[in-house]
Amino acid sequence: MELPKISFYNEISRMMFAFGDSNVHNPDTVTLVESIVLKQLRTIVNEALKYWDGHILKGEDLIFLLRHNKIKMQRFIRYLQNKILTNKFKNLTSNIIDLDSDELPKNKMIEFIEKIDETGEFTSLSDIDEVKIERQIRANMMANELDEKKYAEFHKARCTSFGRFRTSLERLRLWIDPKRSVSFNQDALDVLSYFAYQTVAEIVGYALLVREDAKAGTDPFKNLHGSYYTNTILSASNRFGANEPETSKVANQPPISVNEIKEVMRRVHSPQAGKLNFGGSPPVTHYLFAL
């Protein structure tokens, strides 16, 4: 029996736009990113299977893989809290929400994180998530350059995900495991959807850094923190409202290229020599963007 052909090409192309790529994407680049995301998700599942009970892969089995990265764990907790609050707001007629309460919203996945959080660093949420802040700055700078029509497209792109609805989660499951060799519960699919989204975000962010490195040349000040947001890429002359349709694209920049993505992967798989591991090897998942 022939397995169904499933693709998230359209979703990934919109996500890449939302994270800073040109709105006129490079099809080959999107295809490459899609293959990377799928490969990494399957690797994540294989890692999680080391901790499962042999019956159903649960969200907790996947969350456990985040234990090596405090910032990403805190980012995931914030995602869970926002999702819980969103679901509560959908039922305002039957629920009273105390937004001033000191008690943070929880579900069983947050409770699991609290159990493995021996030092309290995961749930303190006190660390600054610089990567997320930079994504927000980039999105705000892009949004300020758009006319009403293009802003609507950008907003749609920012709302795109891998598993907004149950049908999308089922597609995601079949994409990752077309032979249905693993049983996933609902929480596991939600976590995988989140990991896939974060993987696209990380790849685009690194690709833009690769581009800035290429532009820097011998200028020692070119890559100072924040320079990406003030260079001519986002100048007023390059906004969406240009008369020529062929130049009406975000930041008037070329789409992220295949070579830029390949350079990202080269750097990820070939870490700088002499990296300190403090007496131990880095976790086997160190090259997985979501972790």
Side-chain angles (χ1 to χ4, degrees):
M1 181 179 178
E2 185 177 353
L3 297 175
K5 175 64 175 177
I6 295 176
S7 173
F8 281 88
Y9 178 95
N10 292 332
E11 289 88 345
I12 290 174
S13 65
R14 289 195 293 268
M15 290 179 201
M16 291 179 67
F17 172 35
F19 290 125
D21 191 14
S22 169
N23 68 311
V24 182
H25 59 267
N26 182 325
D28 292 335
T29 303
V30 177
T31 299
L32 176 58
V33 171
E34 182 182 26
S35 67
I36 294 171
V37 173
L38 178 57
K39 183 177 180 180
Q40 295 216 350
L41 288 178
R42 287 176 174 172
T43 302
I44 288 173
V45 169
N46 287 333
E47 286 297 314
L49 289 177
K50 297 177 181 179
Y51 309 103
W52 74 319
D53 59 10
H55 299 288
I56 297 177
L57 189 68
K58 301 184 293 294
E60 291 90 332
D61 300 320
L62 293 160
I63 294 170
F64 188 68
L65 300 178
L66 279 172
R67 68 193 184 280
H68 296 297
N69 194 312
K70 175 179 64 174
I71 297 297
K72 289 185 178 180
M73 182 70 87
Q74 292 179 354
R75 187 186 304 164
F76 179 66
I77 291 175
R78 291 189 178 96
Y79 160 78
L80 289 176
Q81 291 174 345
N82 289 335
K83 186 173 182 178
I84 294 169
L85 288 174
T86 299
N87 290 335
K88 285 187 175 181
F89 273 116
K90 290 180 180 178
N91 299 301
L92 276 176
T93 56
S94 58
N95 291 280
I96 299 176
I97 304 173
D98 184 5
L99 295 178
D100 296 325
S101 174
D102 292 331
E103 184 177 353
L104 296 174
K106 296 181 182 181
N107 61 12
K108 63 181 179 181
M109 286 194 284
I110 293 180
E111 291 173 352
F112 170 77
I113 295 171
E114 290 177 339
K115 289 180 181 179
I116 66 173
D117 187 15
E118 297 179 354
T119 63
E121 60 183 3
F122 294 156
T123 53
S124 68
L125 304 183
S126 58
D127 295 273
I128 297 175
D129 190 341
E130 294 184 359
V131 171
K132 188 171 183 179
I133 291 173
E134 288 191 1
R135 291 178 191 170
Q136 292 171 339
I137 292 173
R138 186 186 306 133
N140 290 338
M141 293 294 291
M142 290 176 65
N144 289 336
E145 295 295 319
L146 310 181
D147 60 27
E148 184 176 350
K149 179 180 178 181
K150 291 299 181 181
Y151 178 80
E153 294 180 13
F154 183 60
H155 176 71
K156 181 179 179 180
R158 295 196 69 191
C159 293
T160 303
S161 72
F162 284 88
R164 191 173 183 181
F165 307 104
R166 284 186 176 272
T167 52
S168 300
L169 289 176
E170 177 62 17
R171 282 181 61 218
L172 181 67
R173 185 183 70 80
L174 291 174
W175 190 48
I176 298 171
D177 183 29
K179 294 183 179 180
R180 302 174 185 266
S181 57
V182 180
S183 296
F184 302 88
N185 71 4
Q186 184 70 26
D187 286 342
L189 293 175
D190 286 337
V191 176
L192 286 172
S193 172
Y194 172 84
F195 282 168
Y197 183 83
Q198 291 296 322
T199 300
V200 176
E202 294 273 332
I203 292 174
V204 172
Y206 283 131
L208 294 175
L209 289 176
V210 165
R211 178 172 292 181
E212 288 306 298
D213 282 349
K215 291 179 180 179
T218 58
D219 183 355
F221 301 107
K222 184 69 174 180
N223 282 332
L224 287 178
H225 185 77
S227 65
Y228 174 82
Y229 309 112
T230 58
N231 61 21
T232 54
I233 284 180
L234 291 172
S235 66
S237 62
N238 291 328
R239 63 179 66 234
F240 260 111
N243 293 327
E244 300 84 1
E246 63 271 19
T247 61
S248 286
K249 51 188 178 181
V250 167
N252 201 25
Q253 62 177 331
I256 293 174
S257 69
V258 169
N259 286 337
E260 286 169 330
I261 300 297
K262 287 182 177 179
E263 174 61 14
V264 169
M265 300 309 296
R266 185 194 68 79
R267 296 187 188 188
V268 169
H269 287 282
S270 304
Q272 190 174 16
K275 181 179 179 181
L276 295 177
N277 295 322
F278 299 101
S281 300
V284 295
T285 56
H286 75 279
Y287 68 93
L288 298 172
F289 294 109
L291 307 181

